[in-house]
Amino acid sequence: MPASKIAPKKTRFKFYNRFGLGLLFLSVIALVTTACKKAYEVAPLASPAVSAPSPSPTPSPTKTPVICHPYLAQWGGPGSGDGQFNNPAGIAVDPSGFVYVADMNNHRVQKFTDMGAYVSQWTDNGGYVSPVGIALDGSGNVWVADLGGNVWETTNMGTPITQWGTAGNGPIGITLDPSNDVYVAFRLSNQVIKYAGDGTTLGSWGASSPAAGSADGSFNNPHGLVVNPSGDVAVADLGNDRLQVFDPSGAFLLKWGAPGYGTGQMEQPNFIAVDPAGNFYVTDNTNDNVSVFTGTGTFTCSFGSYGTGPGQLTNPWGIALDTSGNIFVSDYANNRIEKFGP
């Protein structure tokens, strides 16, 4: 207690009586309590950081997206049984509304109704190593990019049709154009290769060597890709935190994106879907959300946030739209599929 706040001894005793003693006693108790509190007071402990599955940190609190596309439903859960997942990756939806999921670490493809009822599964006679990208052609056949090195084509019930490729370059994203030419993103060789349906190479773009690059038309770990209604090919350039768009021959057209947690920014854009108007829907592996852009890269809205609750995401990967505009997202680390409205 500071000495300046204590009256001289004779002054204090001048007012002692029963009432004065009571007040003095209460005052002493209050001062002692305050002093003890200050002596032992410590700064509040910071809340422990939430550890999201690597490489996804909790998004920055400065992110203030324009929310769109309401949560509708979910299905799945960790495991290897029918309808369960071990890291669901790519996802595709056919015109009838059936949903196809590349169940990466269960080494299979699973088929569901649009509300998550399990239909069937297949492994292409045990050939899948790590199926990731998945797409449908105009005949309804299912194409899979397998990190093990191959591209697989099956019917929509899993009957094998064809397989081609070589191990080593990490095929991860796959899409087809209306002519059924096949575009595959290779994450290890940092390039996109265009093929005919029989595996004949028609062209390639990106790195001339496995080295990553950041110049226009170069890639650093390309992942998902999609053909827009104009026939141009958009590629999620994950390591460069951007999207790039090319014409069908591989000529660079435009790019957008910047690393960060703010509105319209991207941290590891993963896979892409496109709607009939040419808008792009991009899963963001680290921001744990989906961002929507116009065909020229203008941000319009986003949905999802880090977590395990309904409508939340942890490392979202594949994304696809049905003919009604519903959006299906592979919630990779939560081992489930989530459905969002138009």
Side-chain angles (χ1 to χ4, degrees):
M1 185 184 301
S4 62
K5 293 188 179 181
I6 302 176
K9 186 174 182 179
K10 63 179 182 180
T11 305
R12 293 203 313 268
F13 277 97
K14 181 177 179 180
F15 296 100
Y16 277 1
N17 53 34
R18 181 174 297 179
F19 181 71
L21 283 170
L23 288 176
L24 180 62
F25 178 75
L26 291 174
S27 298
V28 170
I29 292 298
L31 288 170
V32 170
T33 301
T34 301
C36 291
K37 180 179 179 181
K38 289 184 177 293
Y40 291 96
E41 191 175 56
V42 295
L45 291 174
S47 298
V50 177
S51 297
S54 179
S56 175
T58 303
S60 165
T62 62
K63 191 174 184 69
T64 55
V66 180
I67 302 300
C68 56
H69 301 290
Y71 166 82
L72 297 180
Q74 63 178 281
W75 69 86
S80 58
D82 295 350
Q84 295 180 315
F85 300 109
N86 187 357
N87 300 135
I91 189 168
V93 184
D94 70 19
S96 299
F98 289 105
V99 180
Y100 304 81
V101 181
D103 189 5
M104 185 171 74
N105 289 322
N106 279 325
H107 319 294
R108 64 186 179 183
V109 169
Q110 295 197 74
K111 181 178 179 178
F112 301 89
T113 69
D114 64 347
M115 288 305 294
Y118 171 82
V119 176
S120 63
Q121 64 176 283
W122 60 88
T123 62
D124 201 11
N125 293 327
Y128 296 143
V129 177
S130 295
V132 179
I134 191 167
L136 303 173
D137 65 21
S139 300
N141 295 322
V142 180
W143 292 77
V144 171
D146 190 325
L147 281 175
N150 293 312
V151 171
W152 304 84
E153 180 190 8
T154 69
T155 68
N156 61 11
M157 290 304 294
T159 302
I161 297 175
T162 188
Q163 169 268 322
W164 39 265
T166 57
N169 289 328
I172 188 166
I174 189 167
T175 191
L176 291 93
D177 65 19
S179 300
N180 282 342
D181 291 330
V182 185
Y183 301 80
V184 181
F186 291 86
R187 62 184 296 267
L188 298 181
S189 59
N190 291 300
Q191 62 183 164
V192 171
I193 300 180
K194 179 179 179 179
Y195 298 94
D198 62 0
T200 303
T201 300
L202 302 177
S204 66
W205 59 92
S208 57
S209 70
S214 59
D216 293 350
S218 295
F219 301 112
N220 182 359
N221 196 356
H223 269 220
L225 69 173
V226 69
V227 176
N228 72 8
S230 300
D232 299 322
V233 183
V235 183
D237 190 5
L238 181 142
N240 285 321
D241 302 307
R242 66 184 182 183
L243 262 63
Q244 297 193 75
V245 182
F246 303 83
D247 74 11
S249 67
F252 172 82
L253 298 177
L254 74 155
K255 65 180 179 182
W256 67 87
Y261 304 101
T263 300
Q265 294 180 309
M266 292 182 279
E267 286 284 337
Q268 298 186 332
N270 215 346
F271 283 79
I272 321 171
V274 66
D275 66 19
N279 298 304
F280 293 110
Y281 300 73
V282 185
T283 57
D284 192 309
N285 188 60
T286 302
N287 277 319
D288 299 300
N289 68 1
V290 176
S291 289
V292 185
F293 300 90
T294 67
T296 56
T298 300
F299 172 80
T300 60
C301 64
S302 66
F303 56 97
S305 62
Y306 170 70
T308 60
Q312 294 184 308
L313 301 164
T314 304
N315 305 129
W317 277 48
I319 185 167
L321 280 71
D322 66 15
T323 56
S324 299
N326 296 304
I327 304 163
F328 300 82
V329 179
S330 294
D331 194 2
Y332 180 89
N334 287 326
N335 289 301
R336 64 186 180 184
I337 303 301
E338 291 201 285
K339 181 179 180 179
F340 297 85

